[in-house]
Amino acid sequence: MKEKYDVVIIGGGPAGLAAAVSAWEQGIRDILILERDKELGGILNQCIHNGFGLHTFQEELTGPEYAQRFICQAEERKIEYRLNTMVMDISSDKKVTALNREEGLFTVEAQAVILAMGCRERSRGALNIPGYRPAGIYSAGTAQRLVNMEGFLPGREVVILGSGDIGLIMARRMTLEGARVKVVAELLPYSGGLKRNIVQCLDDFGIPLKLSHTVVDIKGKERVESVVLAQVDENRKPIPGTEEEYTCDTLLLSVGLIPENELSRSMGVELNPVTSGPRVNESLETNISGVFACGNVLHVHDLVDFVSSEAALAGKHAAEYVKQNLQERKAEEKSLEVTVKGEQGVRYTVPGTVRPEIMEEKLPVRFRVGQVYHQCYISVYLDEERILHRKRPVMAPGEMETVWLEKEKLMAHPGLSQIVIRIEEE
């Protein structure tokens, strides 16, 4: 292994692979992917259901098939990677310290770093559910790995808390494996998953979805014996007298995903409190020069196709950064930076800032709304001037939205101070 690389990518999942291939396409050959698992592909290896690749490959693939397409692309280009390698630290001057069995503890120096570590599930400890700590409580992703990769069935009678996409998919998966899923409970008055997953994973199998409900007690000492659900009010507090007890031996938790940003935080990357991911500009570059972020470590995506397209942009911009000389970098740093912000229902935007002189001819800005909207408009303002007013029949927090900014329009506003995206009734 060399001591210096042009681009070092942390994570060999769909984001890391797409970023590596993109950087290679831009002429960068000194690329290293560091992956902590025993194989490339990340979380897709356990997602054996279909529905992947419709945007990227115009065909429906399973998770492992989708991952394999990018693994093949990386291997055809002979992009270097290390498996079973845990990154311990990244310094602000882009020195990456990692550990594996073959090389022991080692450090590599990078001209550019791409953060692509993905996300993790929120645990029971974050929920404050009363009760003992019996066997039979799993995160939905852990249960998915047990069923799809290890060949174990976690339980026979199942209650699922949370209607995120993994929870919905596991309701179907457990049913197909012979378990009985009694109910899916959701704290919010709307589901956090894609509409197609509600239809295909719950409705098609007659599994009830209880909105505005949560688990208020878990019974059983050695193994889960039953869980108690209760309805919640508008402040998400349980309503006394609405309790229902469901006998079960397994509780699956699908209660949100958190970007894996411990490394980012320790190296000084500025994080967005809404997404828990880095703040980035139009090049997906963080506040640290030459450090880029993409995929679920940046913000949790609904479709892996969008992860791949975002990562390709990060790889392209990292390659451009490596090829620049010092004068070009200094000129870019002095470019006018315009804030992009969400208002009136828009929870966050990625990117958070844009430099019109440097941006692509068309730039995607992705965001999520904070509640369900019907017959509303997405509006984009350059300071006070509205440049987009697009009708949407329905918008939900479970699905990402995208608007495209055009360089030509932004350059026509030389004194531009902010870009605002908001949801409007008319």
Side-chain angles (χ1 to χ4, degrees), residues 124 127-134 137 215-219 228:
R124 178 193 172 178
L127 304 179
N128 296 322
I129 301 171
Y132 293 99
R133 303 186 72 81
I137 303 173
V215 173
V216 293
D217 196 12
I218 300 170
K219 296 188 176 180
V228 179

Side-chain angles (χ1 to χ4, degrees), residues 329-364:
R329 284 181 194 169
K330 284 182 176 174
E332 277 201 1
E333 283 165 14
K334 288 178 184 173
S335 300
L336 173 72
E337 201 163 56
V338 180
T339 302
V340 184
K341 66 176 190 174
E343 292 180 351
Q344 291 174 214
V346 177
R347 293 186 64 234
Y348 68 86
T349 66
V350 174
T353 57
V354 168
R355 294 170 294 181
E357 292 174 34
I358 295 162
M359 69 182 274
E360 308 271 316
E361 291 304 318
K362 289 189 78 178
L363 175 75

